[in-house]
Amino acid sequence: MGKGYISHPCTKREPCIICGRTDHCYYGDHGQDGLIHYCSHERAAEVYVGAEKYILKRVTQGNYGAYESATQMEQNKRRWMEEQRMTNPNWIDYGSKKRTSKPQSPVEVPKKKGWRVIDEIEPLKNSQLHQIYSYLLDMLVLEPNHKKALLDEWNAGIDPDLGEKILTRWTVKSLPMTDAARHNSRQTLANPTRRELIDQLVKRFHSLRGVPGFYMGKDGRWEMSALSGIVYPVYDSKGNIYRLRIGDEHPRIDKYAKDDAGNYIYELKNGKKSHVINGTFSFDFRTGEWFYLSDTSKETVWSKQRDIYMVKIGPKGYPESIEGKIDGKYKNFSSRSDRKKETATEYIVYNHYSEGTRSGSQISLYSRAGDDFRFVYVTEGEKKAMVLNEILRCPVVALPGVQTYSKLFEEENQSDKSMVQFLIEKGMQYMVIVYDADKRVNETVLASESNAIQMCKENGVSTLIGEWNPAFGKGADDMLIQGNRFQYIEK
């Protein structure tokens, strides 16, 4: 059986064969064993794509449905049986014995059903989005509790002024909660209301069509994504702010929550205990604590505090007593949420938000005057990239996820060049890949690093890997803040 493995993220040119979408899915090339499609949206036991049936083999630790075509599965089975016959003389093929039951009628193969995406609105040009997002960011401020959380983390190392330097360099702001939640909280925030922000944007730009994060409400007025939290700007190679990423204040939790003593946390329902699972935690501005919401609606955030157990906030601003990983601390500021409906002839994908625009997962370049372009660092996450740029004084490309490395080599939006081509023209000699230290135990991260190295070689880009002792921190930013440095390995 083949041992090689190369993963390929799904893109607009190569959408997921299982669900038809372009983000968060990928397929793995297992050499002679063929392709396994890893879908983040579908979990059905069987999926028909045209006349071909795809079978769910397993659900991975990362919650991807792993699908293999029935044809490929049968071919691999036959090859394995042939190998057994050739290599093991005592092997008995019990499946080859003749059956005594009556032959079954042939199963009718379902007719081919294609995918069709409707009401897809293309984003505006990057230069136009830069004007709108810059105007929005100019109206926003960084809330005191958000600023404190960032400074506590960034100033905890050898440079007590690192946080102030980063916040002076980059436009990091806070996006306030929905106006309804704000009203219920009775909390005075430094930011304007969302209605005030949107009205000012419409007054200035007239329409927000084609701007990811905004959509048309039922009353005919523009609205914005319900996400709230710390806003990180996403830059293209020309310095345009063409997307926003949000450090979500309401992260989903994958597993049961535990308290500091290791006991499971419960919520109260009619006087009875119920496990806290797959819930949402929210930040209470008044107490400085996170709490679990039994109702995940952000409109009723502030009416649910009496029937929950408090959770201690961790050093990075998230609950420290959570078992398992928080699902998506950083999210795209987007106004596209796909819904699917099936007709007799096809599957139709449509947007839940009227006149909304998909953000997609985009890369960001953090660079400033005087940076040494000979060495360009690649890491996961905008916040981490800001720290690396400030300390190393080299350009840093932030990937939205470790599996999105192929975006480095794709043409940028409204451009005929890729990010890598731009960086080479600027004098890049080495691309330095610095994924988190958990790659030693996380197969997905390690495989993504290996595949990124391979893609760099195929495109003539010399590569270095930045290594460090995991005891210094999981992320490269944690390690650098404490005054440590990389050990470089050439690939």
Side-chain angles (χ1 to χ4, degrees):
M1 305 288 278
K3 295 182 180 179
Y5 173 77
I6 301 176
S7 67
H8 303 271
C10 294
T11 63
K12 186 175 291 186
R13 294 180 179 177
E14 272 192 296
C16 176
I17 197 171
I18 303 300
C19 69
R21 303 182 190 182
T22 59
D23 280 340
H24 308 302
C25 302
Y26 67 101
Y27 65 90
D29 185 348
H30 293 261
Q32 67 172 347
D33 289 343
L35 303 178
I36 300 296
H37 301 271
Y38 298 90
C39 181
S40 63
H41 305 286
E42 192 63 67
R43 299 293 182 277
E46 296 179 353
V47 175
Y48 281 92
V49 181
E52 181 63 81
K53 179 170 70 173
Y54 286 80
I55 299 172
L56 178 65
K57 294 170 66 70
R58 67 184 185 280
V59 177
T60 70
Q61 290 184 348
N63 203 27
Y64 286 86
Y67 286 86
E68 182 177 17
S69 74
T71 301
Q72 177 178 288
M73 187 176 292
E74 182 63 26
Q75 291 173 345
N76 286 337
K77 178 181 177 182
R78 290 176 180 174
R79 188 175 73 250
W80 178 82
M81 291 170 63
E82 186 62 30
E83 290 176 355
Q84 298 306 309
R85 293 191 188 98
M86 298 291 292
T87 60
N88 186 359
N90 298 321
W91 183 76
I92 301 176
D93 181 7
Y94 292 100
S96 65
K97 293 184 178 180
K98 293 183 179 180
R99 300 181 181 273
T100 58
S101 59
K102 294 181 180 180
Q104 297 181 349
S105 301
V107 178
E108 182 180 351
V109 178
K111 294 182 179 179
K112 180 178 180 179
K113 281 191 178 183
W115 290 88
R116 182 162 62 93
V117 179
I118 63 174
D119 61 18
E120 185 84 52
I121 297 175
E122 288 295 320
L124 297 176
K125 293 181 179 180
N126 289 4
S127 57
Q128 295 172 297
L129 292 173
H130 176 76
Q131 294 180 8
I132 296 172
Y133 284 144
S134 295
Y135 192 77
L136 171 63
L137 292 171
D138 285 343
M139 290 190 287
L140 296 173
V141 299
L142 186 61
E143 294 288 348
N145 67 300
H146 289 159
K147 184 174 183 179
K148 181 179 184 303
L150 291 174
L151 293 181
D152 286 348
E153 178 181 348
W154 289 339
N155 292 344
I158 62 172
D159 184 354
D161 298 320
L162 178 63
E164 286 81 359
K165 294 175 183 176
I166 296 174
L167 294 179
T168 300
R169 183 81 57 190
W170 305 108
T171 311
V172 179
K173 301 294 182 71
S174 299
L175 188 65
M177 67 191 79
T178 63
D179 291 345
R182 182 174 185 160
H183 173 76
N184 292 334
S185 72
R186 298 181 177 85
Q187 174 68 29
T188 301
L189 300 180
N191 273 292
T193 65
R194 286 181 168 229
R195 178 46 53 197
E196 290 172 333
L197 293 169
I198 294 172
D199 287 348
Q200 286 297 319
L201 287 169
V202 172
K203 182 179 179 181
R204 173 71 180 270
F205 300 102
H206 307 296
S207 173
L208 298 176
R209 192 175 193 273
V211 182
F214 294 89
Y215 64 95
M216 186 67 71
K218 294 180 179 179
D219 59 358
R221 304 176 73 183
W222 286 101
E223 302 288 346
M224 71 169 70
S225 166
L227 282 173
S228 63
I230 302 177
V231 184
Y232 299 95
V234 176
Y235 298 89
D236 67 9
S237 61
K238 296 180 181 178
N240 292 313
I241 300 175
Y242 73 118
R243 294 292 191 275
L244 301 178
R245 289 269 282 178
I246 312 295
D248 190 6
E249 283 190 311
H250 307 276
R252 298 285 298 178
I253 307 302
D254 283 341
K255 298 184 179 181
Y256 288 108
K258 289 184 177 181
D259 62 19
D260 296 332
N263 302 312
Y264 284 113
I265 299 174
Y266 299 90
E267 61 175 327
L268 300 178
K269 291 182 178 179
N270 300 323
K272 298 180 180 180
K273 286 185 177 181
S274 175
H275 279 107
V276 174
I277 184 173
N278 292 332
T280 299
F281 282 82
S282 185
F283 188 78
D284 187 336
F285 288 90
R286 292 171 290 180
T287 65
E289 293 181 291
W290 286 77
F291 59 89
Y292 174 76
L293 306 179
S294 57
D295 183 345
T296 58
S297 169
K298 296 181 179 64
E299 305 303 325
T300 57
V301 164
W302 305 104
S303 63
K304 298 295 179 181
Q305 297 184 58
R306 289 175 294 179
D307 296 333
I308 49 86
Y309 284 71
M310 287 298 186
V311 179
K312 184 179 179 182
I313 190 171
K316 286 198 171 185
Y318 290 96
E320 63 181 16
S321 56
I322 299 303
E323 177 193 359
K325 184 179 180 181
I326 294 175
D327 180 19
K329 292 184 291 186
Y330 301 95
K331 294 185 171 67
N332 300 326
F333 188 56
S334 179
S335 47
R336 171 104 192 176
S337 179
D338 285 337
R339 299 290 188 269
K340 181 179 70 174
K341 60 183 178 181
E342 181 180 1
T343 68
T345 58
E346 63 182 352
Y347 296 103
I348 297 176
V349 179
Y350 64 96
N351 192 3
H352 176 69
Y353 298 103
S354 176
E355 295 292 301
T357 304
R358 188 192 309 276
S359 166
S361 297
Q362 309 295 339
I363 60 177
S364 180
L365 176 63
Y366 292 92
S367 176
R368 53 188 168 152
D371 280 353
D372 185 355
F373 269 86
R374 293 176 301 168
F375 301 91
V376 178
Y377 288 75
V378 176
T379 191
E380 180 188 14
E382 295 76 16
K383 185 174 112 178
K384 192 178 302 179
M386 292 178 180
V387 174
L388 267 64
N389 176 256
E390 182 63 39
I391 294 177
L392 300 174
R393 302 299 175 92
C394 292
V396 184
V397 178
L399 303 180
V402 293
Q403 294 176 330
T404 59
Y405 52 84
S406 63
K407 292 184 178 292
L408 291 163
F409 304 92
E410 297 173 3
E411 292 181 355
E412 287 193 273
N413 292 357
Q414 298 100 35
S415 173
D416 58 353
K417 294 181 181 179
S418 67
M419 178 65 76
V420 164
Q421 288 174 313
F422 166 80
L423 294 171
I424 290 175
E425 291 178 358
K426 293 286 289 184
M428 180 179 70
Q429 297 179 12
Y430 283 95
M431 181 166 283
V432 188
I433 301 176
V434 285
Y435 284 176
D436 282 356
D438 66 346
K439 65 185 179 182
R440 292 167 176 81
V441 295
N442 190 322
E443 294 181 2
T444 300
V445 177
L446 184 59
S448 297
E449 181 186 83
S450 299
N451 295 336
I453 294 169
Q454 181 62 33
M455 188 167 282
C456 285
K457 289 181 178 178
E458 293 172 357
N459 287 271
V461 177
S462 298
T463 311
L464 297 173
I465 299 298
E467 299 279 6
W468 66 93
N469 188 334
F472 296 154
K474 174 187 173 184
D477 53 341
D478 302 320
M479 181 270 298
L480 291 173
I481 288 172
Q482 298 304 320
N484 301 297
R485 289 296 182 265
F486 295 108
Q487 294 178 343
Y488 297 98
I489 300 175
E490 188 167 5
K491 295 292 183 178

